Amino acid sequence: MPRMDRAEKAEPYRDQIVEWVDRCRGNLVRVHEELVAQGLTISYPALTAFCRRHGIGHQPPMPVGHYDFQPGQEMQHDTSPHRASVAGVVQRIDTASLVLCYSRLLFFQAYPSFTRFTCKVFLTDALAYVSGTCATCLIDNTHVVVAAGTGARMVPAPEMAAFAERYGFTFRAHEKGDANRSARVERPFHFIEHNFLAGRTFADLADLNAQAHGFCDKVNAARKKHLHASPRELFAAECPHLQPLPLFVPEVYALHHRLVDVEGFVNVHGHRYSVPYLLIGRQLEVRETKDRVDVYHGPRLVASHAKVLGRTFTRVVAPEHRPPRGARPSTQPLPEEQTLAQADPPVPAYAAALKQRSAGRGTLALRRLLALYREYPRAPFLQAVTLAVQYGLFDLDRLERLTLRVIAKDYFLLSPDDEDPES
C-alpha cells in the first residue's frame, strides 16, 4: 500500500507553540490552555506528540555509558542530604558513602554536617571497614576535597592530598555534568533513603551509625541478580588487589583555640563544654576527635567531654569544673595575685593598690604587672615601683617608662675611654 502523508494539525501553529513553550517554561499544560484561549482547536495529546516529534520543550534521552573496573582499581565516595527521625525529631543529616567499584561493597555513615574534618573521619572508618584502599578514589567536584579546578584539572586541598598519600591512593574528580561517571556511589543513596531510613527511628546519631554498620553487613552479604553473586563474594576476589592499610593509623582530630567565657565554657560548633572555672578568661587549645572534645591548657589536659553530635545546641557540664557550693569564683585569688603577693617589697602593696583601682578583678592589670616584674632587672624595677608608690602612679605604661629611665641611668653609661677619639 502506498504510504499516506497526513498533515499535522499543530503544524500551522508551530511559531505560537514555540513562543508559549518558552513563556510557560516548558509546561505543556499551560501552553495548551493558552492556545485554547486563543481559539485554536487542538487536543492536548496532539500537542504533546507534536512537541515530542519535533524536540520542542525537551531534549531526547541520551544513552548512558558503561564502565568496567578491575579489582582494586577504583572506589567512589560521595555525600547526599537525607531526613531521618533522630531522638523523636525529623532532622536533616548528611549521608556519606564509599563503594568499591568492582565488588560493589558498600559502607555509609551519617553526620550533622559534612566538613573536611568529617570527611577524613569517615574515610578512616570506611577504609578500616574494607581493610584496604583502591588506587583511585573518585569524587564529585566538592569543596570539601577540591582546592581548585574541576574534572581532570582538579587540585585537591593540601591536607586532603596528604591524607590520601598516607593511605596510598589519589583523589580524582569526574567532569562537570558527567554524573553517570560516579553511578556506583550515586545509586545506593536511593536505596538508603527508601530502605534503611524508611520507618526507622534512632535514639541519636551514634545509634543511627551503629545500625548503618549492621545494615551494610546485611546488604553486602545479600545476593544481587545483576552481579550473579553477593558483594562479599566479589570482595573476596578483590581483597588481594587492595593496597594494605598503614601499620599505624593516627587519630583524626581538629584543633581549635577558644577563649573561656565568663561562665566557664568553651564553644565548639555551637555546643558549650565546661572547663575549670579558674581558667575563665584564658585562651585554651581544644582538640576535637570523632567521639571526644579534649581541652588543653598548655601541655596539660584540663577537661575531656563526650562529643555532642546533634544539631540542638547543648551545654555539657562536669560537676568538678564548678566552684564549691557556697563559694564564689571572685573570692578565689588569681594565680597572678598569689605570685605578686610573694614578690619583693614594695610590689605586694603596689599590686593590692592596683587591683583596687582596676575594673573587675583586675586580671589584665595584675597579669601585665607580673610580666614587668619578670622581664626587667629586679633592682631598677623595684626602684621604679617605689617611686610609683610614693607619687601614686598606677598607670603601667608610665611605670614601664620609669623603669626604662632607671635602667638607662644604671646600665647605659659610657666611660671617657669608650668614646670615639675621632668624634
Side-chain angles (χ1 to χ4, degrees):
M1 296 293 294
R3 183 175 180 179
M4 298 179 60
D5 293 331
R6 300 175 58 183
E8 297 184 87
K9 293 184 178 180
E11 184 62 35
Y13 316 117
R14 181 187 182 93
D15 294 339
Q16 299 181 39
I17 292 174
V18 173
E19 177 185 357
W20 279 105
V21 165
D22 182 60
R23 294 174 60 180
C24 296
R25 302 177 183 177
N27 191 329
L28 294 183
V29 175
R30 289 285 300 118
V31 173
H32 183 258
E33 292 176 355
E34 293 296 335
L35 293 177
V36 172
Q38 294 180 8
L40 303 182
T41 57
I42 182 174
S43 64
Y44 179 72
L47 173 65
T48 56
F50 176 79
C51 293
R52 185 168 54 253
R53 283 192 296 269
H54 295 272
I56 300 175
H58 67 89
Q59 296 292 334
M62 300 297 294
V64 298
H66 180 76
Y67 302 95
D68 292 320
F69 300 95
Q70 297 301 319
Q73 177 183 352
E74 182 176 295
M75 54 186 179
Q76 296 182 0
H77 161 60
D78 200 1
T79 61
S80 178
H82 294 110
R83 300 191 68 84
S85 177
V86 180
V89 179
V90 178
Q91 57 182 263
R92 180 185 180 278
I93 59 173
D94 286 335
T95 305
S97 67
L98 183 79
V99 177
L100 301 186
C101 294
Y102 175 79
S103 61
R104 271 76 160 187
L105 195 74
L106 171 68
F107 181 79
F108 69 92
Q109 295 281 270
Y111 303 94
S113 61
F114 202 73
T115 61
R116 190 164 292 172
F117 165 71
T118 314
C119 179
K120 291 190 288 186
V121 170
F122 167 74
L123 289 178
T124 301
D125 294 341
L127 297 178
Y129 180 81
V130 301
S131 304
T133 63
C134 296
T136 303
C137 180
L138 186 74
I139 58 172
D140 60 0
N141 297 279
T142 171
H143 69 281
V144 174
V145 178
V146 177
T150 59
R153 297 171 300 280
M154 184 273 295
V155 178
E159 63 176 299
M160 299 306 296
F163 177 86
E165 183 180 1
R166 178 185 299 133
Y167 284 92
F169 69 91
T170 57
F171 284 108
R172 289 182 54 195
H174 63 70
E175 295 298 331
K176 205 169 183 180
D178 188 12
N180 291 331
R181 180 64 179 83
S182 58
R184 290 284 197 277
V185 71
E186 294 285 356
R187 186 175 182 181
F189 284 127
H190 182 273
F191 179 72
I192 292 171
E193 181 176 4
H194 294 87
N195 193 307
F196 174 68
L197 297 177
R200 280 188 171 91
T201 58
F202 310 97
D204 49 24
L205 279 179
D207 179 39
L208 190 154
N209 289 331
Q211 294 191 38
H213 195 285
F215 184 79
C216 290
D217 293 338
K218 176 182 176 182
V219 170
N220 292 328
R223 181 180 178 84
K224 298 184 181 296
K225 293 182 180 179
H226 63 286
L227 297 179
H228 306 288
S230 67
R232 277 294 177 189
E233 294 172 348
L234 295 177
F235 178 73
E238 185 178 19
C239 187
H241 300 273
L242 298 178
Q243 300 185 31
L245 297 178
L247 296 178
F248 171 70
V249 178
E251 185 180 23
V252 179
Y253 64 88
L255 287 180
H256 312 279
H257 292 88
R258 294 292 186 268
L259 195 67
V260 183
D261 61 19
V262 294
E263 297 182 11
F265 291 87
V266 292
N267 191 309
V268 181
H269 304 309
H271 305 292
R272 302 175 66 195
Y273 301 90
S274 67
V275 298
Y277 68 95
L278 293 177
L279 298 176
I280 292 177
R282 298 297 183 89
Q283 187 172 9
L284 307 180
E285 183 180 88
V286 180
R287 178 172 296 185
E288 176 191 4
T289 63
K290 175 186 175 182
D291 301 317
R292 302 203 61 79
V293 172
D294 297 329
V295 186
Y296 289 86
H297 182 215
R300 300 191 308 274
L301 178 66
V302 296
S304 181
H305 300 278
K307 184 178 177 181
V308 180
L309 298 177
R311 287 181 173 272
T312 304
F313 294 155
T314 308
R315 291 204 323 171
V316 181
V317 183
E320 60 272 15
H321 295 163
R322 301 295 89 192
R325 187 174 181 85
R328 298 183 51 171
S330 58
T331 60
Q332 305 295 326
L334 297 172
E336 293 85 355
E337 187 177 358
Q338 297 177 1
T339 304
L340 291 172
Q342 300 175 1
D344 298 330
V347 176
Y350 183 79
L354 179 64
K355 180 180 178 181
Q356 294 180 356
R357 289 168 173 78
S358 302
R361 303 178 64 188
T363 305
L364 296 179
L366 293 176
R367 191 173 298 169
R368 186 178 178 189
L369 179 62
L370 180 60
L372 296 177
Y373 178 73
R374 289 172 173 174
E375 292 176 359
Y376 289 107
R378 189 61 50 85
F381 179 74
L382 295 178
Q383 183 179 352
V385 172
T386 303
L387 293 176
V389 172
Q390 179 181 355
Y391 293 102
L393 300 178
F394 295 96
D395 185 352
L396 296 182
D397 290 334
R398 297 184 65 182
L399 176 63
E400 186 173 12
R401 291 197 298 269
L402 185 60
T403 305
L404 292 173
R405 186 179 304 173
V406 176
I407 293 175
K409 292 181 180 180
D410 295 339
Y411 292 88
F412 299 100
L413 294 179
L414 296 177
S415 62
D417 297 336
D418 296 333
E419 295 182 356
D420 189 358
E422 298 181 359
S423 59

